[in-house]
């Protein structure tokens, strides 16, 4: 007999409809597994089909943490399946079918981009830049703008614009009359204009910028941030309050964490004119550095690495956070993320890679 005459006809696949989606939502709320949900439907669905559907309708819900324990997060994020969200995304994808989307031919690339944005919190530019810098090979190639366009159109399964960084705002208007003023509380500190050329040009490592990131209004705890100008490597240390005494202790702790000759690790430090940084002698002793320089008043761009680094830190520690409830372990995790994030200015290498070069 002809073998082809005895092939079992394959059942035609049928897309999940809106009514089924609401059944899936109810079953998922009961805690059933994808395999159990598939068997409970009529007609029954394959486990993998349900897994894809759960990803399509995945949303995050944020709740206040009922626990009052000091080192637990303020909010709890729960991932749930919503039928209306899944249906909306299904409709969006259907509207764009047949338009020759490049990424539609490369599910591996789509999954990689989704993971990097959703789980690793990378920007589309960092993802595409890192792919090119590392010579990673996928079936297709797309640019950063295309990724943003796909996200705007809702073509990715798990990501939306809410998962992206806040877009860059326009430049602040500078008041040059204020810039020319002298910091009345800091007449003895060395001006940034005296800083060595190697620090200004970022031609060698060892020149740092220092600042404090404050927490919720009415609380005292803060985060001391140290950013190395050449590599953009970051060091974060918890501070109990903004007094000079506590800040010096934090600088000493940062110094103990870095290896090598301290005089090479900390050559200079550039600070603003806040009262917590006015004792340059104490800073030099705590950090083991040769000199401390002070930026002009109202001139935050003179410490641009610090300002940009603090903006990145605020992704994890938003304004209004009670920093006193932040654990050292969590802050170290954030620091590791920042130092292992690809930077366009480094050709999409990380701060740790530059520092180790």
């Amino acid at each position: 007999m002809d073998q082809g005459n005895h092939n079992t006809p394959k059942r035609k696949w049928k897309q999940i409809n809106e009514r089924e989606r609401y059944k899936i939502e109810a079953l998922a709320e009961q805690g059933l597994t994808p395999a159990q949900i598939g068997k409970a439907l009529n007609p029954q669905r394959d486990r993998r089909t349900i897994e894809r559907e759960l990803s399509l309708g995945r949303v995050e819900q944020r709740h206040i943490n009922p626990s009052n324990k000091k080192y637990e997060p303020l909010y709890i994020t729960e991932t749930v399946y919503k039928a209306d969200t899944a249906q909306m995304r299904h409709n969006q994808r259907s509207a764009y079918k047949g338009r020759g989307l490049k990424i539609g031919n490369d599910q591996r690339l789509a999954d990689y981009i989704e993971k990097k944005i959703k789980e690793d919190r990378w920007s589309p530019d960092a993802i595409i830049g890192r792919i090119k810098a590392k010579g990673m090979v996928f079936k297709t190639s797309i640019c950063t703008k295309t990724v943003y366009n796909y996200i705007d159109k809702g073509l990715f399964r798990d990501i939306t614009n809410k998962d992206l960084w806040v877009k860059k705002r326009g430049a602040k208007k500078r008041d040059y009359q204020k810039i020319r003023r002298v910091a009345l509380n800091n007449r003895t500190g060395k001006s940034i204009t005296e800083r060595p050329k190697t620090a200004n040009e970022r031609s060698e490592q060892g020149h740092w910028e220092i600042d404090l990131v404050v927490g919720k209004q009415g609380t005292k705890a803060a985060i001391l941030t140290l950013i190395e100008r050449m590599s953009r490597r970051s060091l974060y240390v918890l501070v109990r309050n903004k007094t000079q005494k506590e800040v010096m202790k934090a600088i000493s702790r940062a110094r103990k964490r870095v290896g090598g000759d301290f005089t090479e690790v900390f050559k200079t430090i550039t600070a603003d004119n806040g009262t917590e940084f006015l004792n340059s002698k104490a800073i030099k002793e705590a950090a083991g550095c040769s000199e401390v320089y002070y930026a002009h008043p109202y001139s935050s761009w003179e410490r641009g690495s610090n300002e940009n680094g603090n903006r990145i830190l605020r992704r994890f520690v938003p304004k209004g956070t009670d920093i006193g409830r932040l654990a050292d372990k969590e802050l170290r995790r954030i620091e590791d993320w920042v130092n292992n994030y690809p930077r366009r200015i480094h050709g999409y290498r990380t701060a740790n890679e530059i520092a180790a070069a």
Side-chain angles (χ1 to χ4, degrees):
M1 289 187 179
D2 184 1
Q3 185 177 357
N5 293 335
H6 293 275
N7 286 344
T8 302
K10 189 175 181 179
R11 186 177 66 182
K12 188 176 180 181
W13 179 77
K14 185 179 179 182
Q15 288 186 335
I16 290 177
N17 57 42
E18 188 172 5
R19 178 178 294 179
E20 285 179 297
R21 288 193 166 97
Y22 282 100
K23 290 181 180 178
I24 291 171
E25 180 179 332
L27 294 170
E29 287 178 351
Q30 296 174 28
L32 271 65
T33 66
Q36 292 170 332
I37 293 173
K39 290 180 180 179
L41 296 177
N42 186 19
Q44 292 186 6
R45 296 285 188 169
D46 181 70
R47 173 188 60 81
R48 186 71 187 103
T49 300
I50 300 301
E51 288 176 346
R52 285 195 295 266
E53 178 61 28
L54 292 175
S55 294
L56 181 67
R58 183 185 300 161
V59 296
E60 289 186 350
Q61 293 183 336
R62 202 179 188 199
H63 309 286
I64 295 177
N65 188 350
S67 173
N68 291 320
K69 293 183 179 179
K70 182 177 180 181
Y71 295 116
E72 290 194 4
L74 299 177
Y75 297 95
I76 297 174
T77 301
E78 180 185 16
T79 302
V80 297
Y81 171 84
K82 290 296 180 183
D84 53 354
T85 299
Q87 186 64 34
M88 178 191 69
R89 291 174 180 167
H90 167 76
N91 293 340
Q92 288 174 336
R93 291 182 180 185
S94 298
Y96 288 101
K97 272 185 179 178
R99 298 194 181 187
L101 297 175
K102 292 179 70 176
I103 204 168
N105 299 318
D106 195 343
Q107 188 60 45
R108 179 169 160 261
L109 175 59
D111 290 342
Y112 180 80
I113 292 173
E114 288 183 357
K115 176 184 180 298
K116 285 296 179 184
I117 291 177
K118 194 72 176 180
E119 298 180 17
D120 298 341
R121 305 181 75 171
W122 285 21
S123 71
D125 184 61
I127 296 167
I128 300 303
R130 188 69 168 181
I131 288 173
K132 293 177 180 177
K134 287 292 185 180
M136 300 172 67
V137 179
F138 292 91
K139 287 171 59 178
T140 188
S141 175
I142 58 177
C143 66
T144 298
K145 189 175 187 305
T146 299
V147 178
Y148 278 109
N149 289 341
Y150 286 173
I151 294 172
D152 285 339
K153 294 172 182 177
L155 300 179
F156 283 102
R157 181 174 60 237
D158 292 334
I159 54 179
T160 67
N161 279 309
K162 292 181 180 179
D163 298 306
L164 302 179
W165 290 36
V166 177
K167 292 182 179 179
K168 188 176 181 180
R169 300 181 178 88
K172 293 181 180 179
K173 185 176 179 181
R174 297 175 180 176
D175 186 341
Y176 288 94
Q177 293 298 321
K178 286 184 175 181
I179 294 170
R180 285 191 285 267
R181 295 177 189 170
V182 178
L184 298 178
N185 59 345
N186 189 14
R187 293 184 179 276
T188 60
K190 281 197 173 184
S191 170
I192 193 173
T193 57
E194 301 177 67
R195 195 169 61 181
K197 186 177 181 180
T198 51
N200 293 332
E201 296 180 350
R202 305 175 190 265
S203 58
E204 67 175 7
Q205 294 192 51
H207 303 284
W208 298 74
E209 297 176 11
I210 193 170
D211 200 8
L212 281 182
V213 170
V214 298
K216 183 179 179 181
Q217 188 174 4
T219 61
K220 296 180 179 180
I223 299 173
L224 179 78
T225 64
L226 281 156
I227 314 293
E228 203 281 314
R229 283 178 55 78
M230 179 180 171
S231 66
R232 273 72 170 185
R233 180 188 176 197
S234 299
L235 289 173
Y236 300 145
V237 185
L238 289 173
V239 185
R240 290 198 302 179
N241 57 59
K242 292 176 61 177
T243 62
Q244 285 188 6
K245 181 180 179 181
E246 289 299 323
V247 169
M248 297 311 131
K249 288 181 180 179
I251 294 174
S252 295
R253 291 200 298 273
R255 171 181 172 174
K256 291 176 182 177
R257 282 182 47 201
V258 298
D261 183 354
F262 293 137
T263 60
E264 290 297 316
V265 175
F266 291 107
K267 295 176 182 176
T268 70
I269 292 178
T270 302
D272 61 20
N273 292 278
T275 55
E276 62 273 14
F277 297 127
L278 291 187
N279 192 340
S280 59
K281 181 180 178 182
I283 293 177
K284 285 188 281 187
E285 290 177 355
C289 67
S290 59
E291 194 53 78
V292 178
Y293 298 96
Y294 294 91
H296 294 100
Y298 309 101
S299 305
S300 59
W301 64 89
E302 292 183 337
R303 297 176 300 102
S305 297
N306 231 155
E307 292 298 312
N308 186 56
N310 291 349
R311 182 179 65 86
I312 296 173
L313 176 59
R314 283 296 189 190
R315 291 192 67 203
F316 301 91
V317 188
K319 290 184 178 180
T321 300
D322 184 356
I323 293 175
R325 297 181 62 182
L326 189 66
D328 282 312
K329 184 178 180 180
E330 176 65 12
L331 188 61
R332 192 69 62 87
R333 185 189 67 81
I334 296 170
E335 181 187 293
D336 287 341
W337 185 95
V338 173
N339 289 330
N340 287 291
Y341 182 75
R343 308 289 186 98
R344 182 193 296 180
I345 200 168
H346 291 327
Y348 298 98
R349 290 186 293 170
T350 70
N352 277 343
E353 289 170 343
I354 296 296

